[in-house]
Amino acid sequence: MNFLTSHTRKRATLAVLCALSVLIILFQLMRSTDDSFGDMLRWNDSSERLPPPPAKARDSDEKFMTYLPYSRFSNQRGTLLNAALLAKYLNRTLVVPPMFLGYANGWSPGPLLYSVVEHMTDPRLQDKCYDDEGELVQEEPPILEDGPTFGCENFTAYAMIPWSDVTNLELLSKPESQGGLNLKIIERPDLSLTTLKKQLDITDDNDMYLMEDSNRYQWHYYEDSGAELQPNPRYKNEVSLTTLRSYPQRLLHFYGIFGFDRLKLLSPAGDEYRTRIQHALLFDHPAIMESAGVILDQLLDGTDLSTDTIAPVDSSRAQHPEEKKKMQPRFVAAHVRAGDADFLKGLKKRVPIFVHELWGIMTGNETVPSDLVGATNNKDGADGSQQLAQEKLGDLPLPTAPKRIIDQLDDLDTQDRLAQCKKLDQMILYVATDAINPRTNPDLAPIFAAFPCTFVIGDFDVEWYDPLTHINSPLDPHKDLADHLVMFVDAAVCAWAERFVGTRTSTFSNYIIQYRHSIVDKLEAEENGYTFDFEG
């Protein structure tokens, strides 16, 4: 299953190349007396307060806003969610950058990210890195002085695709009465400011307001109520939507706007808008569900469960008396985030909590019901109390499956193990994880010891992988997207489980929870006699 771990070397190479690229960009910026941003209006953090908006701007009925994407899919999705909300409240056309699949780039302080993402999306790389047959060139091409600073090894570590190709982005353009936001949306093919100016027919640089952030959490945006402001301590500066509306430039170009609490909305419609955007931005491609269906069919075969009968339940709903009367869940999923340093260092502490949470679900004895496991720095409120209670769970002895069950499952292949698990009436546990070799990973061993009917995506024959090979991108026509799409198959399988436990602070776990909520919303809508529009 080498396609699940094949990017380790590329990620290391990417980190080195990104560092070199930033140094080259700095050198270019220092030596340049007339760079591409020089005459454009800029918004930086030289003051605790925003500068007053310039008095003059080009007359036009249509105003635009856009932003810079960075990091992995879930962070990009969260950024687009915030951008869509801002576009709605500022009454601007939303210009959406491409989606990056794989690890594209991290955050860089302003103005470097403008140059980094422009180089990454330079269309000349398509010709320089691939020959006439669409094959990757064997030798790294020379770097052009005025061209991309990123080489082909880096260029092949990620892929670009329009959001509208794989999500229901167009739903947001529908009227509010039809489940949309009544937004006007334009997608941009690359992240060149020159291309963007042509696309939007902007001829005067003073019509572009470019923001630059020196801090990842530079600006917090809020809806002004007239009452005394309670600043969000995570962010350096507070900016009201009223202030943003006062800027007359045709293009308002945000820098980084990732953050679940980046935008504070007071109007009752805000939560509904947020939910609609979450539904629209689910990765919604038939090939993903086809791949997930191959795995789900095997997991559910021999039971009376199917995607037609499963109604995902969260931990809160599971405590209702009517739910407790039902049979204990037979198909449960978990997302154990382990791949990055911050998640890896806390894995030994989180896994025992996962085991106790899942054991409580299996036995119907949940002492600390929760859909998420792990700690944050915030221990205030109900979530903080839940985290403290979970930490105590982690100190308890670890449960393990009875030896008679383990003995009957040892040394069986996937299909025979599944059949035997169902014969023994054992709970099926599906674990999505970015841990390397999860079955032999010592940190994950307590999960397999407690739940011998645990399965991961690598256990299944590669039949599920084939549909992914047929997804192509018009922005990256030569690249194979399949490896980048495996995570979405994992998410879809988890979404259809009866119960789910994810990793707290993981944006991907929260994505899966939103996916599950969308399934429930659809089922409830159909039950009430109207159609919930997933397909647009």
Side-chain angles (χ1 to χ4, degrees):
M1 306 293 286
N2 61 359
F3 50 83
L4 296 177
T5 57
S6 61
H7 286 308
T8 303
R9 182 174 62 86
K10 286 184 176 179
R11 283 198 296 269
T13 305
L14 174 59
V16 174
L17 287 169
C18 281
L20 290 172
S21 300
V22 168
L23 291 174
I24 293 170
I25 293 164
L26 280 170
F27 176 73
Q28 291 173 337
L29 288 173
M30 285 188 294
R31 73 178 186 174
S32 174
T33 59
D34 187 23
D35 64 56
S36 59
F37 315 122
D39 296 328
M40 299 174 190
L41 294 165
R42 294 194 188 174
W43 185 10
N44 54 45
D45 69 326
S46 58
S47 169
E48 292 297 312
R49 301 176 65 183
L50 293 181
K56 186 178 180 181
R58 174 174 173 162
D59 291 332
S60 174
D61 290 335
E62 185 172 18
K63 292 182 179 179
F64 309 92
M65 64 155 286
T66 192
Y67 61 93
L68 297 177
Y70 63 90
S71 193
R72 298 184 186 274
F73 165 79
S74 297
N75 287 25
Q76 293 175 58
R77 180 175 176 267
T79 299
L80 178 50
L81 187 153
N82 287 336
L85 285 171
L86 283 169
K88 175 66 177 175
Y89 279 82
L90 300 181
N91 193 29
R92 286 178 176 262
T93 296
L94 178 60
V95 184
V96 180
M99 176 196 300
F100 289 106
L101 294 172
Y103 185 76
N105 62 290
W107 185 85
S108 301
L112 291 181
L113 197 54
Y114 282 104
S115 294
V116 170
V117 293
E118 179 173 355
H119 287 308
M120 290 175 60
T121 60
D122 193 314
R124 288 176 292 181
L125 283 168
Q126 299 288 349
D127 295 329
K128 297 238 170 260
C129 296
Y130 294 92
D131 60 26
D132 292 339
E133 304 300 321
E135 298 295 326
L136 187 67
V137 297
Q138 296 302 309
E139 295 183 5
E140 193 81 3
I143 295 174
L144 300 177
E145 184 175 346
D146 65 337
T149 57
F150 283 19
C152 295
E153 179 70 17
N154 177 37
F155 184 58
T156 57
Y158 59 88
M160 298 176 291
I161 194 167
W163 279 88
S164 59
D165 274 24
V166 289
T167 70
N168 202 8
L169 182 66
E170 63 274 11
L171 176 62
L172 301 182
S173 297
K174 290 190 173 183
E176 291 189 31
S177 61
Q178 297 179 28
L181 264 65
N182 202 31
L183 280 182
K184 186 172 181 181
I185 296 175
I186 299 172
E187 294 189 83
R188 55 191 297 196
D190 59 40
L191 289 160
S192 161
L193 284 174
T194 301
T195 303
L196 182 61
K197 287 162 65 178
K198 292 178 181 176
Q199 187 177 8
L200 304 182
D201 192 27
I202 293 176
T203 57
D204 184 350
D205 285 349
N206 288 321
D207 272 343
M208 300 177 69
Y209 209 94
L210 303 183
M211 303 184 188
E212 298 174 8
D213 300 359
S214 63
N215 185 296
R216 194 185 301 263
Y217 297 104
Q218 188 75 43
W219 309 101
H220 179 246
Y221 307 110
Y222 65 94
E223 194 172 8
D224 196 349
S225 66
E228 182 178 355
L229 175 67
Q230 297 295 321
N232 187 317
R234 184 198 302 268
Y235 298 89
K236 186 174 180 181
N237 298 315
E238 298 282 343
V239 183
S240 73
L241 296 183
T242 302
T243 299
L244 290 178
R245 290 189 194 102
S246 71
Y247 277 74
Q249 282 64 43
R250 292 188 62 212
L251 175 65
L252 195 56
H253 200 312
F254 290 85
Y255 199 76
I257 50 175
F258 169 71
F260 72 94
D261 57 352
R262 174 77 64 169
L263 184 58
K264 181 180 180 180
L265 300 175
L266 303 176
S267 59
D271 288 341
E272 175 62 24
Y273 290 155
R274 199 179 295 271
T275 298
R276 292 182 182 190
I277 298 168
Q278 289 171 353
H279 285 172
L281 298 185
L282 293 172
F283 205 95
D284 184 29
H285 194 286
I288 299 297
M289 199 57 221
E290 184 180 350
S291 290
V294 172
I295 295 173
L296 285 166
D297 286 346
Q298 295 175 65
L299 290 171
L300 302 179
D301 184 40
T303 72
D304 59 357
L305 297 174
S306 72
T307 54
D308 292 327
T309 60
I310 289 176
V313 175
D314 63 22
S315 58
S316 176
R317 177 69 182 171
Q319 307 315 305
H320 288 201
E322 60 192 64
E323 289 292 336
K324 284 185 170 290
K325 293 178 184 178
K326 297 179 181 179
M327 186 183 299
Q328 299 304 325
R330 286 156 292 165
F331 172 37
V332 176
H335 173 233
V336 184
R337 184 80 161 88
D340 287 349
D342 287 343
F343 291 100
L344 185 59
K345 68 183 180 183
L347 190 59
K348 281 184 170 60
K349 194 171 183 179
R350 283 197 312 276
V351 165
I353 302 174
F354 266 105
V355 170
H356 284 291
E357 289 285 3
L358 293 166
W359 191 270
I361 291 172
M362 183 179 71
T363 60
N365 185 29
E366 295 179 72
T367 56
V368 189
S370 178
D371 295 322
L372 294 169
V373 163
T376 67
N377 293 328
N378 182 11
K379 294 294 193 295
D380 296 330
D383 189 58
S385 299
Q386 190 177 70
Q387 291 178 51
L388 294 172
Q390 282 185 335
E391 288 176 6
K392 293 178 182 178
L393 278 182
D395 295 331
L396 298 175
L398 284 169
T400 57
K403 186 176 184 302
R404 63 178 180 81
I405 298 292
I406 296 174
D407 288 346
Q408 294 181 70
L409 296 170
D410 270 352
D411 301 322
L412 297 180
D413 64 21
T414 297
Q415 295 307 314
D416 290 340
R417 177 182 287 263
L418 276 166
Q420 188 68 3
C421 285
K422 290 158 189 173
K423 183 177 178 181
L424 295 170
D425 197 26
Q426 293 294 296
M427 182 185 82
I428 303 297
L429 175 63
Y430 182 84
V431 174
T433 181
D434 53 353
I436 303 298
N437 301 319
R439 278 207 170 273
T440 57
N441 189 312
D443 290 335
L444 301 186
I447 295 176
F448 292 94
F451 310 100
C453 293
T454 296
F455 298 88
V456 296
I457 201 166
D459 292 335
F460 296 88
D461 289 340
V462 294
E463 173 192 1
W464 63 267
Y465 187 76
D466 182 66
L468 305 183
T469 63
H470 302 295
I471 302 180
N472 298 302
S473 170
L475 301 181
D476 264 333
H478 302 306
K479 293 181 184 175
D480 183 355
L481 304 185
D483 284 4
H484 299 304
L485 302 173
V486 171
M487 59 185 284
F488 299 107
V489 179
D490 257 344
V493 175
C494 290
W496 282 101
E498 295 175 278
R499 290 289 301 277
F500 171 75
V501 180
T503 302
R504 186 176 278 111
T505 73
S506 165
T507 52
F508 196 63
S509 282
N510 281 282
Y511 169 81
I512 294 170
I513 289 173
Q514 291 170 20
Y515 194 158
R516 291 170 61 79
H517 286 170
S518 74
I519 293 172
V520 173
D521 287 348
K522 179 182 180 182
L523 294 173
E524 290 179 351
E526 291 176 346
E527 197 173 286
N528 292 328
Y530 62 90
T531 301
F532 190 92
D533 190 355
F534 269 131
E535 306 301 329

